[in-house]
Amino acid sequence: QLQLVESGGGLVQPGGSLRLSCAASGFILDYYAIGWFRQAPGKEREGVSCISRNGGSTNYADSVKGRFTISRDNAKSTVYLQMNSLNPEDTAVYYCAGTWTSQAMCGMGQYEYDYWGQGTQVTVSS
């Protein structure tokens, strides 16, 4: 069974950077598209970014374009989310999620994903 574990969250000042990691086990990561989602207090969960199974296709929410970069290292069974120029609006619990796919693309809808990590807190505050 696919298991995902996020790490790398924490407290950072506005303008700072963090790199989140999503470590996968229990399956071959090459067959799965991975998405990053976030949920702020009182708000619905939203898609942040996703990456296709081979890394050839990525998508980003408009709010993070140009600031966040998603990447993957299938040999290490890990997907990363590099977050730069963070602002308080980025404060949320960040989740990674996976879905098996034969397609060379990925989607940003949470209902497209079957496996979820437990989340990692990101707080942007001075």
Side-chain angles (χ1 to χ4, degrees):
Q1 183 177 351
L2 172 61
Q3 293 184 331
L4 300 170
V5 179
E6 303 94 335
S7 61
L11 174 64
V12 63
Q13 292 186 341
S17 298
L18 283 175
R19 188 177 79 158
L20 304 184
S21 297
C22 173
S25 62
F27 66 103
I28 300 175
L29 186 62
D30 305 47
Y31 300 124
Y32 290 77
I34 300 294
W36 281 98
F37 297 81
R38 66 185 181 186
Q39 188 166 21
K43 295 186 177 181
E44 294 186 355
R45 187 175 299 183
E46 64 174 349
V48 175
S49 183
C50 69
I51 188 166
S52 62
R53 50 185 284 175
N54 65 355
S57 177
T58 58
N59 288 307
Y60 297 92
D62 288 342
S63 59
V64 306
K65 279 181 182 177
R67 300 188 299 123
F68 290 12
T69 303
I70 191 170
S71 62
R72 66 190 294 159
D73 185 341
N74 286 347
K76 295 183 178 180
S77 295
T78 303
V79 175
Y80 306 97
L81 185 68
Q82 177 67 44
M83 307 187 296
N84 299 328
S85 302
L86 287 162
N87 58 61
E89 290 69 40
D90 295 316
T91 295
V93 178
Y94 283 71
Y95 301 88
C96 66
T99 185
W100 186 93
T101 179
S102 60
Q103 304 297 316
M105 62 184 68
C106 63
M108 297 277 283
Q110 59 177 315
Y111 298 108
E112 300 179 48
Y113 292 84
D114 303 305
Y115 304 96
W116 292 80
Q118 82 290 346
T120 185
Q121 176 71 46
V122 171
T123 302
V124 184
S125 175
S126 56

PDB file of all heavy atoms in Angstrom, residues 24-43:
ATOM      1  N   ALA A  24       7.893   8.583  -0.363  1.00  0.00           N
ATOM      2  CA  ALA A  24       6.937   7.529  -0.675  1.00  0.00           C
ATOM      3  C   ALA A  24       7.524   6.152  -0.392  1.00  0.00           C
ATOM      4  O   ALA A  24       8.716   5.925  -0.556  1.00  0.00           O
ATOM      5  CB  ALA A  24       6.526   7.618  -2.133  1.00  0.00           C
ATOM      6  N   SER A  25       6.671   5.247   0.009  1.00  0.00           N
ATOM      7  CA  SER A  25       7.082   3.866   0.232  1.00  0.00           C
ATOM      8  C   SER A  25       5.923   2.939  -0.081  1.00  0.00           C
ATOM      9  O   SER A  25       4.771   3.366  -0.163  1.00  0.00           O
ATOM     10  CB  SER A  25       7.549   3.659   1.675  1.00  0.00           C
ATOM     11  OG  SER A  25       6.494   3.905   2.574  1.00  0.00           O
ATOM     12  N   GLY A  26       6.249   1.671  -0.275  1.00  0.00           N
ATOM     13  CA  GLY A  26       5.205   0.688  -0.503  1.00  0.00           C
ATOM     14  C   GLY A  26       4.821   0.495  -1.954  1.00  0.00           C
ATOM     15  O   GLY A  26       3.932  -0.300  -2.262  1.00  0.00           O
ATOM     16  N   PHE A  27       5.477   1.213  -2.854  1.00  0.00           N
ATOM     17  CA  PHE A  27       5.134   1.109  -4.262  1.00  0.00           C
ATOM     18  C   PHE A  27       6.263   1.734  -5.089  1.00  0.00           C
ATOM     19  O   PHE A  27       7.166   2.355  -4.543  1.00  0.00           O
ATOM     20  CB  PHE A  27       3.834   1.857  -4.562  1.00  0.00           C
ATOM     21  CG  PHE A  27       3.983   3.340  -4.376  1.00  0.00           C
ATOM     22  CD1 PHE A  27       4.113   4.185  -5.464  1.00  0.00           C
ATOM     23  CD2 PHE A  27       4.035   3.900  -3.104  1.00  0.00           C
ATOM     24  CE1 PHE A  27       4.276   5.556  -5.287  1.00  0.00           C
ATOM     25  CE2 PHE A  27       4.199   5.261  -2.918  1.00  0.00           C
ATOM     26  CZ  PHE A  27       4.318   6.077  -4.009  1.00  0.00           C
ATOM     27  N   ILE A  28       6.189   1.590  -6.385  1.00  0.00           N
ATOM     28  CA  ILE A  28       7.172   2.205  -7.275  1.00  0.00           C
ATOM     29  C   ILE A  28       6.652   3.577  -7.677  1.00  0.00           C
ATOM     30  O   ILE A  28       5.631   3.698  -8.355  1.00  0.00           O
ATOM     31  CB  ILE A  28       7.396   1.325  -8.522  1.00  0.00           C
ATOM     32  CG1 ILE A  28       7.910  -0.053  -8.104  1.00  0.00           C
ATOM     33  CG2 ILE A  28       8.372   2.009  -9.477  1.00  0.00           C
ATOM     34  CD1 ILE A  28       8.056  -1.040  -9.234  1.00  0.00           C
ATOM     35  N   LEU A  29       7.354   4.611  -7.248  1.00  0.00           N
ATOM     36  CA  LEU A  29       6.883   5.971  -7.447  1.00  0.00           C
ATOM     37  C   LEU A  29       6.708   6.327  -8.921  1.00  0.00           C
ATOM     38  O   LEU A  29       5.889   7.166  -9.274  1.00  0.00           O
ATOM     39  CB  LEU A  29       7.842   6.959  -6.782  1.00  0.00           C
ATOM     40  CG  LEU A  29       7.422   8.422  -6.764  1.00  0.00           C
ATOM     41  CD1 LEU A  29       6.131   8.593  -5.970  1.00  0.00           C
ATOM     42  CD2 LEU A  29       8.520   9.298  -6.186  1.00  0.00           C
ATOM     43  N   ASP A  30       7.442   5.649  -9.787  1.00  0.00           N
ATOM     44  CA  ASP A  30       7.418   5.968 -11.216  1.00  0.00           C
ATOM     45  C   ASP A  30       6.018   5.909 -11.823  1.00  0.00           C
ATOM     46  O   ASP A  30       5.763   6.525 -12.846  1.00  0.00           O
ATOM     47  CB  ASP A  30       8.293   4.983 -11.998  1.00  0.00           C
ATOM     48  CG  ASP A  30       9.714   4.900 -11.485  1.00  0.00           C
ATOM     49  OD1 ASP A  30       9.876   4.780 -10.257  1.00  0.00           O
ATOM     50  OD2 ASP A  30      10.638   4.948 -12.299  1.00  0.00           O
ATOM     51  N   TYR A  31       5.124   5.152 -11.204  1.00  0.00           N
ATOM     52  CA  TYR A  31       3.799   4.961 -11.770  1.00  0.00           C
ATOM     53  C   TYR A  31       2.765   5.930 -11.240  1.00  0.00           C
ATOM     54  O   TYR A  31       1.583   5.825 -11.567  1.00  0.00           O
ATOM     55  CB  TYR A  31       3.320   3.535 -11.509  1.00  0.00           C
ATOM     56  CG  TYR A  31       4.211   2.472 -12.111  1.00  0.00           C
ATOM     57  CD1 TYR A  31       4.765   1.474 -11.318  1.00  0.00           C
ATOM     58  CD2 TYR A  31       4.490   2.470 -13.469  1.00  0.00           C
ATOM     59  CE1 TYR A  31       5.584   0.503 -11.861  1.00  0.00           C
ATOM     60  CE2 TYR A  31       5.310   1.502 -14.015  1.00  0.00           C
ATOM     61  CZ  TYR A  31       5.859   0.525 -13.213  1.00  0.00           C
ATOM     62  OH  TYR A  31       6.668  -0.431 -13.753  1.00  0.00           O
ATOM     63  N   TYR A  32       3.194   6.890 -10.409  1.00  0.00           N
ATOM     64  CA  TYR A  32       2.241   7.745  -9.727  1.00  0.00           C
ATOM     65  C   TYR A  32       2.483   9.218 -10.011  1.00  0.00           C
ATOM     66  O   TYR A  32       3.617   9.706  -9.938  1.00  0.00           O
ATOM     67  CB  TYR A  32       2.315   7.521  -8.220  1.00  0.00           C
ATOM     68  CG  TYR A  32       1.771   6.186  -7.789  1.00  0.00           C
ATOM     69  CD1 TYR A  32       2.514   5.031  -7.952  1.00  0.00           C
ATOM     70  CD2 TYR A  32       0.497   6.092  -7.239  1.00  0.00           C
ATOM     71  CE1 TYR A  32       2.004   3.802  -7.574  1.00  0.00           C
ATOM     72  CE2 TYR A  32      -0.016   4.871  -6.848  1.00  0.00           C
ATOM     73  CZ  TYR A  32       0.740   3.729  -7.025  1.00  0.00           C
ATOM     74  OH  TYR A  32       0.235   2.526  -6.644  1.00  0.00           O
ATOM     75  N   ALA A  33       1.404   9.906 -10.309  1.00  0.00           N
ATOM     76  CA  ALA A  33       1.446  11.360 -10.294  1.00  0.00           C
ATOM     77  C   ALA A  33       1.317  11.811  -8.842  1.00  0.00           C
ATOM     78  O   ALA A  33       0.622  11.165  -8.042  1.00  0.00           O
ATOM     79  CB  ALA A  33       0.312  11.941 -11.126  1.00  0.00           C
ATOM     80  N   ILE A  34       1.982  12.891  -8.514  1.00  0.00           N
ATOM     81  CA  ILE A  34       1.973  13.413  -7.146  1.00  0.00           C
ATOM     82  C   ILE A  34       1.507  14.860  -7.154  1.00  0.00           C
ATOM     83  O   ILE A  34       1.929  15.659  -8.001  1.00  0.00           O
ATOM     84  CB  ILE A  34       3.368  13.336  -6.515  1.00  0.00           C
ATOM     85  CG1 ILE A  34       3.863  11.889  -6.467  1.00  0.00           C
ATOM     86  CG2 ILE A  34       3.348  13.945  -5.117  1.00  0.00           C
ATOM     87  CD1 ILE A  34       3.075  10.971  -5.548  1.00  0.00           C
ATOM     88  N   GLY A  35       0.666  15.165  -6.198  1.00  0.00           N
ATOM     89  CA  GLY A  35       0.194  16.533  -6.045  1.00  0.00           C
ATOM     90  C   GLY A  35       0.489  17.066  -4.651  1.00  0.00           C
ATOM     91  O   GLY A  35       0.588  16.299  -3.694  1.00  0.00           O
ATOM     92  N   TRP A  36       0.646  18.370  -4.572  1.00  0.00           N
ATOM     93  CA  TRP A  36       0.748  19.061  -3.286  1.00  0.00           C
ATOM     94  C   TRP A  36      -0.522  19.894  -3.103  1.00  0.00           C
ATOM     95  O   TRP A  36      -0.940  20.619  -4.013  1.00  0.00           O
ATOM     96  CB  TRP A  36       1.961  19.970  -3.240  1.00  0.00           C
ATOM     97  CG  TRP A  36       3.256  19.284  -2.991  1.00  0.00           C
ATOM     98  CD1 TRP A  36       4.192  18.914  -3.918  1.00  0.00           C
ATOM     99  CD2 TRP A  36       3.785  18.881  -1.713  1.00  0.00           C
ATOM    100  NE1 TRP A  36       5.259  18.302  -3.304  1.00  0.00           N
ATOM    101  CE2 TRP A  36       5.041  18.266  -1.953  1.00  0.00           C
ATOM    102  CE3 TRP A  36       3.329  18.970  -0.399  1.00  0.00           C
ATOM    103  CZ2 TRP A  36       5.831  17.747  -0.933  1.00  0.00           C
ATOM    104  CZ3 TRP A  36       4.114  18.461   0.614  1.00  0.00           C
ATOM    105  CH2 TRP A  36       5.349  17.861   0.355  1.00  0.00           C
ATOM    106  N   PHE A  37      -1.071  19.800  -1.908  1.00  0.00           N
ATOM    107  CA  PHE A  37      -2.266  20.542  -1.560  1.00  0.00           C
ATOM    108  C   PHE A  37      -2.025  21.261  -0.246  1.00  0.00           C
ATOM    109  O   PHE A  37      -1.095  20.923   0.493  1.00  0.00           O
ATOM    110  CB  PHE A  37      -3.462  19.588  -1.426  1.00  0.00           C
ATOM    111  CG  PHE A  37      -3.810  18.882  -2.704  1.00  0.00           C
ATOM    112  CD1 PHE A  37      -3.098  17.760  -3.104  1.00  0.00           C
ATOM    113  CD2 PHE A  37      -4.831  19.339  -3.507  1.00  0.00           C
ATOM    114  CE1 PHE A  37      -3.399  17.111  -4.295  1.00  0.00           C
ATOM    115  CE2 PHE A  37      -5.145  18.704  -4.696  1.00  0.00           C
ATOM    116  CZ  PHE A  37      -4.422  17.588  -5.086  1.00  0.00           C
ATOM    117  N   ARG A  38      -2.850  22.231   0.047  1.00  0.00           N
ATOM    118  CA  ARG A  38      -2.731  22.914   1.325  1.00  0.00           C
ATOM    119  C   ARG A  38      -4.109  23.300   1.843  1.00  0.00           C
ATOM    120  O   ARG A  38      -5.049  23.493   1.067  1.00  0.00           O
ATOM    121  CB  ARG A  38      -1.842  24.150   1.221  1.00  0.00           C
ATOM    122  CG  ARG A  38      -2.402  25.274   0.356  1.00  0.00           C
ATOM    123  CD  ARG A  38      -1.368  26.392   0.227  1.00  0.00           C
ATOM    124  NE  ARG A  38      -1.866  27.513  -0.575  1.00  0.00           N
ATOM    125  CZ  ARG A  38      -1.123  28.562  -0.927  1.00  0.00           C
ATOM    126  NH1 ARG A  38       0.158  28.624  -0.556  1.00  0.00           N
ATOM    127  NH2 ARG A  38      -1.655  29.536  -1.653  1.00  0.00           N
ATOM    128  N   GLN A  39      -4.184  23.396   3.160  1.00  0.00           N
ATOM    129  CA  GLN A  39      -5.439  23.799   3.790  1.00  0.00           C
ATOM    130  C   GLN A  39      -5.133  24.753   4.937  1.00  0.00           C
ATOM    131  O   GLN A  39      -4.440  24.386   5.896  1.00  0.00           O
ATOM    132  CB  GLN A  39      -6.214  22.585   4.301  1.00  0.00           C
ATOM    133  CG  GLN A  39      -7.600  22.932   4.797  1.00  0.00           C
ATOM    134  CD  GLN A  39      -8.467  21.704   4.988  1.00  0.00           C
ATOM    135  OE1 GLN A  39      -7.997  20.589   5.124  1.00  0.00           O
ATOM    136  NE2 GLN A  39      -9.787  21.922   4.998  1.00  0.00           N
ATOM    137  N   ALA A  40      -5.637  25.966   4.795  1.00  0.00           N
ATOM    138  CA  ALA A  40      -5.494  26.970   5.837  1.00  0.00           C
ATOM    139  C   ALA A  40      -6.698  26.892   6.769  1.00  0.00           C
ATOM    140  O   ALA A  40      -7.767  26.411   6.376  1.00  0.00           O
ATOM    141  CB  ALA A  40      -5.389  28.355   5.210  1.00  0.00           C
ATOM    142  N   PRO A  41      -6.561  27.368   8.008  1.00  0.00           N
ATOM    143  CA  PRO A  41      -7.681  27.325   8.951  1.00  0.00           C
ATOM    144  C   PRO A  41      -8.922  28.011   8.384  1.00  0.00           C
ATOM    145  O   PRO A  41      -8.848  29.131   7.882  1.00  0.00           O
ATOM    146  CB  PRO A  41      -7.130  28.070  10.168  1.00  0.00           C
ATOM    147  CG  PRO A  41      -5.663  27.891  10.077  1.00  0.00           C
ATOM    148  CD  PRO A  41      -5.342  27.904   8.623  1.00  0.00           C
ATOM    149  N   GLY A  42     -10.038  27.308   8.446  1.00  0.00           N
ATOM    150  CA  GLY A  42     -11.290  27.880   7.981  1.00  0.00           C
ATOM    151  C   GLY A  42     -11.474  27.906   6.483  1.00  0.00           C
ATOM    152  O   GLY A  42     -12.461  28.448   5.985  1.00  0.00           O
ATOM    153  N   LYS A  43     -10.525  27.330   5.755  1.00  0.00           N
ATOM    154  CA  LYS A  43     -10.602  27.339   4.288  1.00  0.00           C
ATOM    155  C   LYS A  43     -10.614  25.917   3.755  1.00  0.00           C
ATOM    156  O   LYS A  43     -10.214  24.979   4.427  1.00  0.00           O
ATOM    157  CB  LYS A  43      -9.436  28.121   3.691  1.00  0.00           C
ATOM    158  CG  LYS A  43      -9.451  29.603   4.029  1.00  0.00           C
ATOM    159  CD  LYS A  43      -8.359  30.338   3.282  1.00  0.00           C
ATOM    160  CE  LYS A  43      -8.414  31.834   3.562  1.00  0.00           C
ATOM    161  NZ  LYS A  43      -7.350  32.565   2.816  1.00  0.00           N
TER     162      LYS A  43
END
